[in-house]
Amino acid sequence: SDAELLGALIQCEAGNQPYEGQVAVGAVVMNRVRSGAYPNSLYGVIYASGQFTPAGSGAVDRRIQAGVSDSCMKAAEAVLGGYSNIGTATHFRPIGAHEGIEIGGHVFW
């Protein structure tokens, strides 16, 4: 399902972050889906070449097989329901790598 796929990516990218940081990573994906500069599907954005390392390495697929944590599933469902805590940001990196909205250990822009 879309929620499971997004939840798995969130867990791979931000499973060690607070819930709001998990939501923010999911919101980046959904902002990309809506942007027109990226593929227009959740799968297409997550698996786009060179975009999300855990997708390209197989970690997202392994996470789906192993199961997604409750908090990451909740974050994915919130984002799929339209919630965003980062506006229209389409990128994130560890804090210090860029200026933007800081949540947990990431900065979003």
Side-chain angles (χ1 to χ4, degrees):
S1 71
D2 281 352
E4 190 174 40
L5 175 59
L6 183 56
L9 177 73
I10 291 169
Q11 188 166 343
C12 290
E13 293 281 9
N16 65 345
Q17 297 297 307
Y19 175 74
E20 288 300 316
Q22 294 172 1
V23 168
V25 167
V28 162
V29 175
M30 292 310 297
N31 287 342
R32 288 183 180 195
V33 170
R34 290 188 285 270
S35 79
Y38 297 90
N40 65 354
S41 72
L42 194 64
Y43 183 92
V45 166
I46 290 173
Y47 287 98
S49 179
Q51 295 302 305
F52 294 101
T53 302
S57 72
V60 168
D61 297 330
R62 289 190 298 277
R63 174 49 45 204
I64 290 170
Q65 294 300 317
V68 179
S69 74
D70 289 343
S71 69
C72 292
M73 282 301 296
K74 183 179 171 188
E77 290 164 358
V79 170
L80 289 169
Y83 179 69
S84 175
N85 57 354
I86 56 161
T88 59
T90 55
H91 296 82
F92 70 97
R93 292 279 185 263
I95 285 181
H98 202 279
E99 291 187 23
I101 301 166
E102 293 184 8
I103 302 174
H106 291 122
V107 60
F108 299 84
W109 76 97

